[in-house]
Amino acid sequence: GDRLRDWLGLSREEFYDRDRISIVPMAFCFPGYDSAGSDLPPPPRCARTWRERVLDAIGRAALTVVIGGYAQGWHLSNDTRKQGVTATVADWGRWWPDVVPLPHPSWRNNAFLRRNPWFEADLIPALRAHVRDVMDHTF
């Protein structure tokens, strides 16, 4: 959570405030690893079973941050799965300000950050300012 908190500009206390922040996984279960040691994709049946129920319980969010290709395909459109995470994140203004697509904040995406300096130069400052505005004006 350190990198994601940094990207959002949130303190540890703000990030884990259950009254203000909801973290909703795609699958609600850990699918395991493939032979290369990477996470397996979230099982579609888990999302079909739980995701809508959880989102309905949360209600309308002031901001939805959509992390990774599977979440982007679910929330934005299946077309985003075809174009890939980099292209979807690069087109972040298309969904702004209600939804912001991000790559996964894992250390495994350090190469993404090196290849795409616009992400930390353009998107992250805008995201931090928007998150701060939402946090300061919600509740």
Side-chain angles (χ1 to χ4, degrees):
D2 292 340
R3 181 176 274 174
L4 181 57
R5 284 194 310 271
D6 180 58
W7 286 353
L8 298 172
L10 293 173
S11 69
R12 185 175 200 66
E13 294 74 27
E14 289 171 317
F15 186 80
Y16 290 109
D17 181 346
R18 291 182 181 183
D19 292 328
R20 302 181 79 196
I21 304 287
S22 297
I23 300 171
V24 182
M26 280 305 301
F28 298 93
C29 63
F30 179 66
Y33 297 106
D34 65 15
S35 60
S38 297
D39 293 358
L40 289 169
R45 74 174 179 265
C46 294
R48 284 192 306 269
T49 302
W50 297 107
R51 195 150 183 83
E52 289 294 333
R53 289 186 219 180
V54 170
L55 294 176
D56 287 346
I58 291 169
R60 187 188 179 289
L63 170 62
T64 301
V65 178
V66 185
I67 299 172
Y70 292 103
Q72 290 164 10
W74 175 276
H75 285 275
L76 304 177
S77 75
N78 281 330
D79 292 339
T80 62
R81 295 270 307 133
K82 294 175 191 159
Q83 70 187 34
V85 171
T86 300
T88 300
V89 174
D91 196 20
W92 58 276
R94 179 175 170 192
W95 298 281
W96 186 268
D98 299 323
V99 178
V100 179
L102 296 179
H104 197 282
S106 165
W107 62 268
R108 293 179 190 227
N109 280 332
N110 288 341
F112 168 90
L113 298 175
R114 283 191 302 276
R115 285 190 311 267
N116 299 287
W118 54 265
F119 177 75
E120 289 184 308
D122 301 329
L123 174 53
I124 293 303
L127 177 61
R128 285 178 183 153
H130 186 46
V131 168
R132 180 53 38 214
D133 186 56
V134 168
M135 293 294 286
D136 290 347
H137 296 99
T138 304
F139 288 90

